Amino acid sequence: MEGVKEIFRNKKSAFYTVTLVIIGLFGAFLRINAYLMNPSMWCDEVSLALNVDKNVFLPPLLNNQSAPFLFLILAKICSLFSWSNFSFRFIPFISGLISIPVFYIFAKNWIKSRLGLILAFFIFCINFRLIYFSREFKPYATDVLIFMLAIICYFKIDFRKINLKTCVLSGTAYALLPLLSFPSLFVLPVCYLFTFFQDGIKNFKKNIKTGVCFMAAGIIFLPVYYFTVLLKYSTNEYLLDFWRKGFVTFKTILPAFLDVLDFFQEPSFANLFLIAAVITGFVICLKQNKKTCLFLICVLAFIILASFLHKYPIRERLVLFLYPVFLVFVFKIFDIKMFKARIKNILFAVILFILSFGFDIKTTLNADFDEKLYCMEAINGLLNVLKHEHKSGEYIFPLPWSDVAFLHYNKTYKFPEKDIVIFKENHSKDYTKPFWGIPKGKYWLIFTIRPDNYYRHVSLQEWLERDFKVIKIYQDHSSRMYYAEKIR
């Protein structure tokens, strides 16, 4: 209590603390609001949920999905309470909420300016991508949280004082992090290196015992984890093809960097001032040569190396966990001392902030509240209609790429099995095959994704005009349902 009273005795500290609390609460509100929107889970989410339903927790996962073992186990536990969107999305949601105070603790290691910290915290709290993935059943919001926690906790360990038993236990906890988040694998080698060289190269011998104890569990566990889990993901042809552009070369590393910045800033895009701020902050970190700055740079080096070796793509949501690092680099500009007068340095940093972010804040906040941007597919609305309109004997035919979502939600709706038609050769490259050999009668044709995305060779309209008489069309966001009679 005395500490709290002391803060509020000092007007500047009180203003700083209250400002942080208000921003943090606003960030929590945005995440709660997105979570409560509760749109239907889209194809990627239900494809991952199918693994939870079938108790598949290790690769190869069904539907070419990838997710850490413990993330799926936690999702399974949540699904036991309720088979609902809220249950599946609960872990990402909680991760998003906890990330708010954790980011502030994380950023304090690098950004010393209070104004810089406030602005970085604000941008983190309102970022559309962070909010979006805190309500999607995928591990990306959890990756952000675990990445920050792994770095924060490492800096809290005093290897000069802890005993060897504690060192081994700490190392074991770190070695097991990849079970919850894949990107923690980029933090681990840097932790090991810094443990051996914590006092510089000259004192390397003195730290060998500590380093070996901290690394012991990793020496045993990580090779096993690589051959049983990671190798199966890194050789999955579908995943390799899907993320191929993220495997950088010397020629493509700059475009990849710009694509990532654009992804971070959606719905806006990275402008020249923002790019300049990131590069400037990176250079400042290099020049400072502090342990914390070198740590971040080494982590980035391992990520780039993994991409060069075709082990981990530098693409979009797969590197969302780097967003806190991106903000650290940008807001290092508030620690710059270009001018003798402090006010000039602050003014320079504020102007660069406004040019980098200021004109996009309104767009970002509009996106944070735009329900359409959170709803990629809307099968629930269509199934509610179907529940009231469907008559016994009428076929329910979810088309390929829509069948997984239908089967997931049918655990709730429980449509008669005799009326459900599922195309067995799922995701066939022949886009006319789903209509081969199905009997005449009345059909409910369900598309949960835009037909043009997956049915390019023969248009949906051609199919319907050739084989069906359309009676009624139902539309909900990008999802569509046709009530039609097969006449051929």
Side-chain angles (χ1 to χ4, degrees):
M1 284 298 292
E2 280 300 318
V4 174
K5 288 179 182 178
E6 188 59 37
I7 289 172
F8 284 94
R9 284 194 194 105
N10 184 313
K11 288 184 179 180
K12 285 185 178 179
S13 293
F15 176 77
Y16 177 67
T17 303
V18 169
T19 302
L20 288 174
V21 169
I22 291 171
I23 292 171
L25 289 174
F26 183 58
F29 165 74
L30 291 175
R31 284 153 179 79
I32 293 168
N33 179 64
Y35 183 63
L36 294 179
M37 283 180 188
N38 192 32
S40 304
M41 293 204 294
W42 72 290
C43 184
D44 252 18
E45 291 181 276
V46 292
S47 294
L48 190 57
L50 179 64
N51 290 275
V52 175
D53 182 33
K54 303 292 184 185
N55 296 320
V56 181
F57 304 120
L58 291 171
L61 298 186
L62 304 173
N63 293 323
N64 293 304
Q65 292 297 304
S66 64
F69 173 77
L70 282 180
F71 178 81
L72 295 173
I73 292 293
L74 290 171
K76 182 68 178 183
I77 294 169
C78 292
S79 71
L80 295 176
F81 291 94
S82 165
W83 189 265
S84 67
N85 297 347
F86 288 127
S87 294
F88 280 101
R89 290 168 172 165
F90 185 72
I91 299 303
F93 169 62
I94 291 299
S95 297
L97 288 181
I98 298 173
S99 292
I100 293 171
V102 169
F103 172 74
Y104 175 73
I105 298 167
F106 175 86
K108 278 206 310 182
N109 286 290
W110 292 273
I111 305 168
K112 303 307 174 187
S113 162
R114 281 190 166 187
L115 179 58
L117 274 170
I118 286 173
L119 292 174
F121 190 53
F122 174 69
I123 295 299
F124 182 89
C125 285
I126 69 166
N127 180 265
F128 173 73
R129 282 296 170 192
L130 294 178
I131 294 166
Y132 176 87
F133 284 109
S134 71
R135 41 69 57 209
E136 178 173 285
F137 178 52
K138 296 290 279 186
Y140 308 119
T142 308
D143 289 341
V144 175
L145 174 63
I146 299 302
F147 180 79
M148 292 191 293
L149 283 175
I151 295 174
I152 291 168
C153 293
Y154 180 78
F155 288 138
K156 295 293 182 184
I157 301 172
D158 189 343
F159 288 99
R160 296 181 186 90
K161 293 181 180 179
I162 64 171
N163 57 46
L164 295 182
K165 182 181 177 181
T166 306
C167 191
V168 170
L169 290 174
S170 301
T172 303
Y174 269 78
L176 295 177
L177 281 178
L179 292 175
L180 186 57
S181 173
F182 292 139
S184 62
L185 285 161
F186 300 119
V187 178
L188 285 177
V190 184
C191 289
Y192 296 149
L193 280 173
F194 272 61
T195 306
F196 280 107
F197 296 102
Q198 58 185 292
D199 298 314
I201 297 173
K202 292 179 181 178
N203 297 314
F204 171 73
K205 288 183 180 179
K206 188 178 76 174
N207 298 318
I208 287 178
K209 188 183 288 186
T210 307
V212 169
C213 287
F214 185 71
M215 195 176 175
I219 293 171
I220 299 167
F221 172 72
L222 292 177
V224 175
Y225 187 69
Y226 176 78
F227 287 107
T228 58
V229 176
L230 298 180
L231 189 62
K232 291 180 181 179
Y233 284 130
S234 62
T235 55
N236 181 302
E237 289 185 14
Y238 176 86
L239 294 175
L240 282 172
D241 186 61
F242 191 84
W243 295 112
R244 192 169 299 282
K245 290 183 180 178
F247 298 127
V248 298
T249 63
F250 288 109
K251 289 182 179 179
T252 62
I253 193 166
L254 181 59
F257 166 72
L258 296 177
D259 284 344
V260 167
L261 288 191
D262 280 344
F263 177 77
F264 284 168
Q265 288 307 106
E266 284 189 54
S268 304
F269 297 94
N271 58 45
L272 288 174
F273 298 103
L274 182 63
I275 295 166
V278 175
I279 295 170
T280 303
F282 179 79
V283 172
I284 293 168
C285 284
L286 276 176
K287 284 189 172 182
Q288 284 185 342
N289 202 28
K290 291 181 179 177
K291 182 180 178 180
T292 51
C293 293
L294 287 175
F295 193 99
L296 287 189
I297 290 164
C298 286
V299 170
L300 289 176
F302 274 103
I303 294 167
I304 293 168
L305 177 63
S307 184
F308 268 104
L309 296 174
H310 287 208
K311 297 300 179 185
Y312 196 89
I314 299 177
R315 287 287 287 180
E316 300 172 351
R317 55 192 183 269
L318 294 187
V319 289
L320 185 68
F321 66 92
L322 286 178
Y323 190 71
V325 178
F326 155 77
L327 289 183
V328 164
F329 288 153
V330 171
F331 288 93
K332 283 296 288 182
I333 58 175
F334 283 85
D335 295 337
I336 287 178
K337 293 179 181 176
M338 288 180 63
F339 310 100
K340 289 183 180 179
R342 182 169 174 269
I343 189 68
K344 287 184 179 179
N345 290 311
I346 294 173
L347 187 61
F348 169 76
V350 168
I351 289 171
L352 192 51
F353 165 78
I354 292 170
L355 293 172
S356 300
F357 293 102
F359 302 108
D360 299 328
I361 287 173
K362 184 179 178 182
T363 305
T364 300
L365 289 173
N366 286 339
D368 292 340
F369 289 101
D370 190 345
E371 191 177 345
K372 291 180 182 178
L373 295 177
Y374 293 91
C375 189
M376 294 186 68
E377 298 165 17
I379 191 172
N380 259 336
L382 299 181
L383 293 185
N384 282 327
V385 171
L386 187 59
K387 191 68 179 176
H388 292 94
E389 299 289 329
H390 173 258
K391 297 181 182 67
S392 180
E394 294 177 339
Y395 296 110
I396 300 170
F397 192 177
L399 271 290
W401 298 97
S402 307
D403 48 1
V404 179
F406 174 81
L407 291 171
H408 172 81
Y409 283 108
N410 196 41
K411 288 175 74 74
T412 302
Y413 288 93
K414 295 181 171 57
F415 291 104
E417 283 189 26
K418 65 180 180 64
D419 292 339
I420 298 171
V421 178
I422 297 293
F423 181 52
K424 291 179 182 177
E425 198 177 329
N426 194 17
H427 308 166
S428 170
K429 290 182 180 178
D430 187 335
Y431 295 90
T432 62
K433 265 193 177 183
F435 291 91
W436 293 4
I438 60 173
K440 291 182 180 180
K442 290 187 177 176
Y443 281 80
W444 294 88
L445 303 169
I446 301 171
F447 296 83
T448 57
I449 34 188
R450 284 183 293 274
D452 331 348
N453 283 357
Y454 292 98
Y455 301 93
R456 295 183 181 92
H457 301 302
V458 178
S459 75
L460 177 63
Q461 198 61 40
E462 284 180 67
W463 287 347
L464 293 171
E465 287 175 357
R466 184 186 63 195
D467 291 342
F468 290 88
K469 176 186 176 184
V470 176
I471 300 169
K472 200 166 185 181
I473 301 173
Y474 300 86
Q475 183 86 30
D476 190 353
H477 291 78
S478 63
S479 297
R480 193 180 303 169
M481 181 167 66
Y482 291 84
Y483 180 46
E485 185 174 3
K486 190 170 191 294
I487 53 179
R488 289 184 55 182

